[in-house]
Amino acid sequence: MSKRYTKNFLVNEFVCSCGCPHGEMDPKHMDLLQRLRDVAGPLKVTSGIRCTTYNKLIGGAKRSQHIPDANGLCHACDITFATGLRSNRQMLKLYTLADQLHFKGIGLYRARIHVDSRPGRRARWIDHFWNWKDT
């Protein structure tokens, strides 16, 4: 049986894409993510934990919440719907649900959203590739 963070999320969904064993997901973040899944339906994790090397390779932010903190905890993931079409309208719905659940950081991208439980102030952003015409 695979190890789980929550009833619907497996640990291996969040490991760094380079295969390194860095970090664990923050339990508070995972509780919020499970709550989001409970209202939104099945979700697919497209990016979870990132080591600094992998984050730099893909052009991630220098202070990315995907990189584990000093305690080894990662506070972010990128998600999309697990099934069906991923229209801009659906991404906006997921973004809105994440905001209602009080994720601290939320970023809107073409076929995914970023959610995080960063310490401090909230942050919201929209990727420059987002197309409002498709909503």
Side-chain angles (χ1 to χ4, degrees):
M1 188 166 138
S2 298
K3 186 177 174 190
R4 295 180 175 275
Y5 281 122
T6 70
K7 69 180 181 179
N8 294 111
F9 293 104
L10 300 172
V11 169
N12 65 8
E13 293 179 85
F14 297 88
V15 297
C16 184
S17 292
C18 80
C20 71
H22 286 79
E24 292 284 328
M25 293 302 295
D26 175 20
K28 291 178 184 177
H29 179 77
M30 293 308 302
D31 287 343
L32 270 178
L33 190 62
Q34 182 61 53
R35 288 176 56 203
L36 180 59
R37 194 264 185 220
D38 290 344
V39 295
L43 300 172
K44 178 182 178 182
V45 177
T46 61
S47 183
I49 299 166
R50 298 179 191 161
C51 65
T52 54
T53 303
Y54 182 72
N55 189 65
K56 186 175 181 177
L57 177 72
I58 64 167
K62 284 185 179 182
R63 294 186 183 130
S64 174
Q65 297 297 313
H66 288 273
I67 299 170
D69 63 16
N71 296 318
L73 296 177
C74 174
H75 303 277
C77 60
D78 295 346
I79 56 173
T80 190
F81 289 100
T83 58
L85 298 174
R86 296 177 183 110
S87 69
N88 283 358
R89 187 176 299 270
Q90 289 174 304
M91 290 299 102
L92 283 171
K93 176 184 174 185
L94 193 56
Y95 182 102
T96 301
L97 290 170
D99 187 58
Q100 290 170 349
L101 289 170
H102 307 289
F103 277 93
K104 284 287 195 86
I106 307 173
L108 182 60
Y109 295 88
R110 258 197 162 145
R112 63 185 166 84
I113 68 166
H114 166 98
V115 291
D116 70 53
S117 54
R118 68 184 63 210
R121 299 176 63 177
R122 5 178 286 157
R124 302 289 186 265
W125 65 93
I126 299 172
D127 183 68
H128 66 278
F129 288 115
W130 177 259
N131 184 350
W132 288 102
K133 293 176 186 175
D134 294 338
T135 56

